[in-house]
Structures are given as C-alpha cells and as structure tokens.
C-alpha cells in the first residue's frame, strides 16, 4: 500500500468515508450534544473519552512528523479533563479534524522507502505499520462509539 492509499484510509475512518463501516468518526460525533458524548453507559468509556483517545494518537503521530519525537504514552491515552460545555466539545472536534487533516497531508507525502523507515525507533516498527495500526485502532473505537450511541438512544426510548 502506498502513502496516498494510507492517507485516504485514515481520512475515510475519521473524516469522510463510508466504505468499511458505512460511517466515520466525524459523522458519529459532529452533531452530538456534549451531554450525550459524556453519558456513561455501564462501565464503558464515554463517547467523549473515546474520541479524545483517538485524537491523542492522531496528534501524537502527527507530532512525529513535525518534530521527530514520540511524546505520547499508552498509559496516558485515556487521561483527559472532562468536557463541560458544547463550546468545549466543538473546540475539541475542530482540533481533532485539523490534526487529522494535517497528519493525512504528512502521510500522503511519504515515499515508498520512507514508509519502510523505522518509526522513531526500530522497536516501534516502520511508518507503514504505525499508520496501519492507527487506522485499525480507529475503526475499533468507531465500532464502540456506534454501539454506545445505540445504547444511549435506546435508553431514551424505553
């Protein structure tokens, strides 16, 4: 898979695609009220936490392209202050979309050989593996978001 295909796949899962899951992150959360995004369903993560978790990795990988440093750590990938207003929720989303667009742009410019280069350190694999992992990870959480939304919606009906 080349860099343009990888960039397009990332754009599909987060911003605009419907081919794999018939939806994407933006479709699922863009018009969602922050109170729904923060609604706790049993012991599951909230939609807001899952969205911030995905963004954490998008931002962290983008940072590698910008300054060459991998500053994110898995142990902090669910640690976020609460979103307490619709304005704050929209502001987060705008940053998420902007960071995703910027990461897509960086990915699309990678050459075939750069895709095979080590991602910061050889222990993390190469760029292609990390970008593929980000896409797969995002689809995993997209499924969770869709299911949590359905659970919340059904609880309002009953």
């Amino acid at each position: 898979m080349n860099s343009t295909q990888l960039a397009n796949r990332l754009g599909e899962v987060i911003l605009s695609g419907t081919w794999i899951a018939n939806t994407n992150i933006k479709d699922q959360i863009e018009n969602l009220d922050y109170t729904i995004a923060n609604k706790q369903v049993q012991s599951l993560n909230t939609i807001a936490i899952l969205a911030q978790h995905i963004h954490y990795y998008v931002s962290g990988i983008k940072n590698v392209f910008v300054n060459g440093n991998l500053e994110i750590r898995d142990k902090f990938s669910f640690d976020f202050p609460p979103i307490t207003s619709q304005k704050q929720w929209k502001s987060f989303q705008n940053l998420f979309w902007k960071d995703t667009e910027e990461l897509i742009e960086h990915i699309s410019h990678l050459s075939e050989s750069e895709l095979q280069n080590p991602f910061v350190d050889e222990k993390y694999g190469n760029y292609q593996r990390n970008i593929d992992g980000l896409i797969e990870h995002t689809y995993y959480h997209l499924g969770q978001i869709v299911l949590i939304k359905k659970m919340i919606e059904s609880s309002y009906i009953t």
Side-chain angles (χ1 to χ4, degrees):
M1 182 167 295
N2 67 34
S3 61
T4 301
Q5 291 169 317
L6 281 172
N8 289 342
R9 286 188 59 224
L10 183 61
E12 285 177 356
V13 68
I14 296 177
L15 299 175
S16 63
T18 58
W19 187 63
I20 299 293
N22 204 33
T23 190
N24 57 69
I25 298 293
K26 189 172 186 178
D27 279 349
Q28 291 298 309
I29 71 170
E30 186 173 40
N31 296 311
L32 196 63
D33 188 89
Y34 85 100
T35 59
I36 301 298
N38 282 310
K39 186 161 179 60
Q40 187 72 51
V41 176
Q42 299 168 9
S43 63
L44 302 175
N45 286 308
T46 66
I47 292 169
I49 291 292
L50 290 170
Q52 291 174 94
H53 173 75
I54 296 163
H55 174 254
Y56 182 80
Y57 286 100
V58 167
S59 176
I61 291 175
K62 183 190 92 165
N63 193 53
V64 171
F65 282 91
V66 172
N67 69 25
N69 296 324
L70 183 62
E71 298 170 353
I72 57 173
R73 299 294 177 261
D74 291 345
K75 67 181 179 179
F76 301 124
S77 69
F78 284 99
D79 297 345
F80 308 103
I83 291 177
T84 59
S85 71
Q86 191 67 24
K87 182 178 178 184
Q88 190 181 14
W89 177 231
K90 280 314 239 182
S91 177
F92 157 72
Q93 288 178 43
N94 290 335
L95 179 62
F96 190 0
W97 312 147
K98 178 181 170 287
D99 284 344
T100 300
E101 289 166 359
E102 290 174 4
L103 178 56
I104 288 167
E105 186 67 21
H106 287 295
I107 292 168
S108 70
H109 289 102
L110 288 173
S111 69
E112 293 295 320
S113 63
E114 288 170 323
L115 282 173
Q116 302 313 313
N117 285 347
F119 186 78
V120 181
D121 188 311
E122 286 189 22
K123 69 181 177 183
Y124 298 123
N126 61 28
Y127 275 80
Q128 181 164 350
R129 180 176 170 91
N130 279 271
I131 297 163
D132 274 333
L134 175 61
I135 293 164
E136 292 167 11
H137 176 250
T138 302
Y139 272 115
Y140 170 76
H141 289 303
L142 172 59
Q144 291 178 318
I145 289 169
V146 169
L147 290 172
I148 291 167
K149 274 182 72 177
K150 286 180 180 185
M151 293 169 80
I152 292 169
E153 289 166 0
S154 70
S155 72
Y156 284 123
I157 296 168
T158 58

